[in-house]
């Protein structure tokens, strides 16, 4: 039984948030539903968010939103999103992502959604990695 549980654990997708810096700052997370990938490119300067669904593609809709649930609950939305990878990936880009980073760092759950679909993103363990991402972007700006 122990071998089965070990094999099951090793076969599961990594759920940890991870921030890296070289030379573009990245913040990634994997869930059973989706792969989340944030970047900051100081050469542009531009922040990007890509949410790639693992099963069903995103349906084209006129807006995309994120609801952050927890102590600092908020909702943000934009009509400025695009789909790629045969609609598996929803992309958003902007020159500032403070509200996204605050939502990820100071809440318990994020809901990424459109009129047709919702992806639940648990934020357990996100706060220290978001802080590393912020430190990376601050270092790139100086």
């Amino acid at each position: 039984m122990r071998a089965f549980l070990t094999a099951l654990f090793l076969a599961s997708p990594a759920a940890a948030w991870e921030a890296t810096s070289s030379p573009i700052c990245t913040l990634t997370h994997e869930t059973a539903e989706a792969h989340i990938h944030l970047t900051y490119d100081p050469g542009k300067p531009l922040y990007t968010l890509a949410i790639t669904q693992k099963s069903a593609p995103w349906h084209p809709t006129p807006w995309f939103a994120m609801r952050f649930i927890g102590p600092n609950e908020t909702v943000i939305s934009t009509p400025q999103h695009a789909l790629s990878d045969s609609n598996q990936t929803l992309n958003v880009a902007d020159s500032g992502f403070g509200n996204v980073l605050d939502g990820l760092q100071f809440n318990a759950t994020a809901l990424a959604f459109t009129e047709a679909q919702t992806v639940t993103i648990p934020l357990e363990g996100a706060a220290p990695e978001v802080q590393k991402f912020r430190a990376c972007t601050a270092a790139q700006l100086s």
Side-chain angles (χ1 to χ4, degrees), residues 5-122:
L5 292 175
T6 301
L8 182 62
F9 175 75
L10 293 175
S12 300
W17 287 86
E18 182 179 15
T20 61
S21 60
S22 174
I24 294 175
C25 306
T26 64
L27 178 65
T28 59
H29 183 60
E30 192 88 19
T31 72
E33 289 183 81
H35 176 77
I36 296 88
H37 187 89
L38 282 86
T39 65
Y40 174 71
D41 184 346
K44 299 200 178 192
L46 190 67
Y47 290 88
T48 65
L49 167 65
I51 302 173
T52 303
Q53 292 205 85
K54 294 181 179 177
S55 57
W58 289 97
H59 300 289
T61 62
W63 54 265
F64 165 71
M66 291 187 80
R67 178 177 179 207
F68 298 99
I69 302 167
N72 294 305
E73 193 164 317
T74 190
V75 177
I76 56 176
S77 65
T78 182
Q80 302 297 316
H81 65 287
L83 301 177
S84 62
D85 304 322
S86 300
N87 293 351
Q88 290 298 127
T89 303
L90 185 143
N91 303 282
V92 179
D94 201 340
S95 59
F97 258 31
N99 52 2
V100 174
L101 296 176
D102 286 348
L104 295 173
Q105 187 170 359
F106 303 118
N107 288 291
T109 304
L111 302 175
F113 63 99
T114 64
E115 310 178 312
Q117 295 158 284
T118 300
V119 173
T120 301
I121 305 167

